[in-house]
Amino acid sequence: MFDPFKNYKPDPTNQPTQTTQELMDEFDSLFGTSNQATQTNEQELEDDISKLFGPSDRPLRKITPTPQEHLQQLAAGNHLDEFKKQQAKLIEDKDPDYDIQEALEWAVNAHAFAVVQEIVEIQGVVPGTGPCGIAMDNGSDFYVEYLFAHGADAKADDEYLVFRAAVHNPCYLPFLAERGAKNYTPILSQFIDSESVEAAIYMLENGAVPDMETLKQAAKIEDLTILKYLLTDKGMVPSKEFIQEMPPLFIEAKHLLTKAYQKHSFQKKMPPKANSQSRGMKI
């Protein structure tokens, strides 16, 4: 075995000039003795803060969660018995912050199934769009299917759910469409601007209605896939003025637009095709 230190010999001229004890003594003379007790008393800590920032009329206190926040923490921790007790207390106290959907969101996000099952199946709470959105964000097929199987309505806020799916997991767009959530037109432009090509193409293929503003957006992003789709599959044709107004920076996009315009102009000038059906002979 190779030994890197086999032929090593210490250099007599490169020896430490101070012993360990001498170094410790020097450190203590500069910063005080190293074995001094650390301040742990809260009053001492307050005194130090007062010296630095002036006296305060409010004493230090621990930050404690609100009852609703505590409920959410218990939900995320899957502490079912404690969750049920805390929930009962919130309901009994008629706490204005009580929100079972938020607790469900925390449980879904943490995959705390015992609490999810308690809320949805035992208590009969219909899952809202919030828990469904979180399940899609996390790519959790089990929770997505579970929530919709237990009453979640994709059409309750379809624009919100479609947006969440398109941003985080476009693979859920067909799943939502099967359940009636396919309001794509209002949010299409956002996905073109962010160059979410897969999501934008899916929306265009499944009902999103493009206009000239859509075409302009598609021409001004780096990936020209959407522009090509609009010109070929959707048959959109820019006007001559539209092309002239395009900044010279977008050379390739301008070239595609020009070709589409020229092709359309050429087809308009072509004579109509003759009717190939034989009229036969008159007898």
Side-chain angles (χ1 to χ4, degrees):
M1 180 182 290
F2 174 68
D3 184 357
F5 300 103
K6 181 178 180 181
N7 300 317
Y8 172 75
K9 293 181 182 180
D11 183 356
T13 63
N14 189 26
Q15 297 300 310
T17 56
Q18 289 177 291
T19 64
T20 302
Q21 185 59 49
E22 287 172 337
L23 288 170
M24 289 178 66
D25 291 341
E26 185 175 337
F27 181 86
D28 289 343
S29 67
L30 291 171
F31 303 104
T33 54
S34 56
N35 60 350
Q36 288 178 341
T38 306
Q39 290 182 348
T40 56
N41 185 282
E42 287 188 4
Q43 186 58 50
E44 291 178 358
L45 183 58
E46 285 189 40
D47 291 341
D48 285 348
I49 292 173
S50 295
K51 289 176 185 176
L52 290 170
F53 303 105
S56 173
D57 56 353
R58 289 186 294 180
L60 292 174
R61 62 181 180 84
K62 293 181 179 178
I63 299 174
T64 55
T66 65
Q68 171 66 22
E69 289 171 342
H70 185 46
L71 182 73
Q72 292 166 185
Q73 292 167 356
L74 292 171
N78 214 23
H79 304 302
L80 182 58
D81 292 337
E82 294 175 65
F83 171 83
K84 288 161 70 176
K85 290 176 185 176
Q86 180 69 6
Q87 183 188 22
K89 188 175 185 304
L90 280 162
I91 294 172
E92 183 183 352
D93 295 343
K94 297 181 179 178
D95 193 309
D97 294 329
Y98 173 61
D99 189 336
I100 193 60
Q101 291 291 339
E102 283 190 4
L104 181 57
E105 288 177 20
W106 280 59
V108 168
N109 190 51
H111 294 194
F113 186 66
V115 173
V116 172
Q117 193 173 35
E118 166 67 25
I119 296 172
V120 174
E121 294 187 45
I122 308 301
Q123 299 182 15
V125 174
V126 176
T129 53
C132 297
I134 286 174
M136 290 190 299
D137 291 353
N138 294 341
S140 177
D141 293 349
F142 171 79
Y143 280 100
V144 170
E145 292 177 7
Y146 176 87
L147 294 171
F148 280 100
H150 287 83
D153 184 4
K155 293 183 288 186
D157 191 351
D158 58 349
E159 189 174 323
Y160 168 82
L161 285 176
V162 166
F163 184 85
R164 291 287 289 262
V167 169
H168 299 283
N169 268 314
C171 62
Y172 289 118
L173 288 172
F175 178 90
L176 293 173
E178 289 172 5
R179 288 154 182 80
K182 44 188 176 182
N183 188 17
Y184 303 133
T185 303
I187 60 174
L188 174 62
S189 62
Q190 298 176 57
F191 291 93
I192 295 176
D193 280 341
S194 61
E195 298 196 44
S196 301
V197 176
E198 181 185 353
I201 294 293
Y202 177 87
M203 292 176 188
L204 287 164
E205 288 176 339
N206 291 276
V209 180
D211 55 19
M212 281 299 148
E213 189 60 34
T214 311
L215 194 67
K216 187 181 293 184
Q217 284 180 302
K220 291 183 178 180
I221 61 175
E222 186 175 354
D223 191 328
L224 297 175
T225 305
I226 300 171
L227 177 63
K228 292 174 183 176
Y229 179 86
L230 292 172
L231 295 174
T232 55
D233 295 71
K234 287 293 182 182
M236 295 187 74
V237 180
S239 65
K240 190 174 182 180
E241 293 73 25
F242 182 97
I243 298 171
Q244 289 173 341
E245 289 172 4
M246 281 291 297
L249 175 67
F250 305 103
I251 299 173
E252 192 174 350
K254 205 165 184 175
H255 175 67
L256 290 171
L257 291 165
T258 303
K259 282 181 68 177
Y261 171 77
Q262 290 173 340
K263 182 179 179 181
H264 177 72
S265 300
F266 177 76
Q267 289 174 341
K268 281 178 67 178
K269 293 177 182 177
M270 290 286 291
K273 292 182 179 179
N275 192 346
S276 59
Q277 183 178 355
S278 173
R279 296 180 182 178
M281 293 179 65
K282 290 182 180 181
I283 302 176

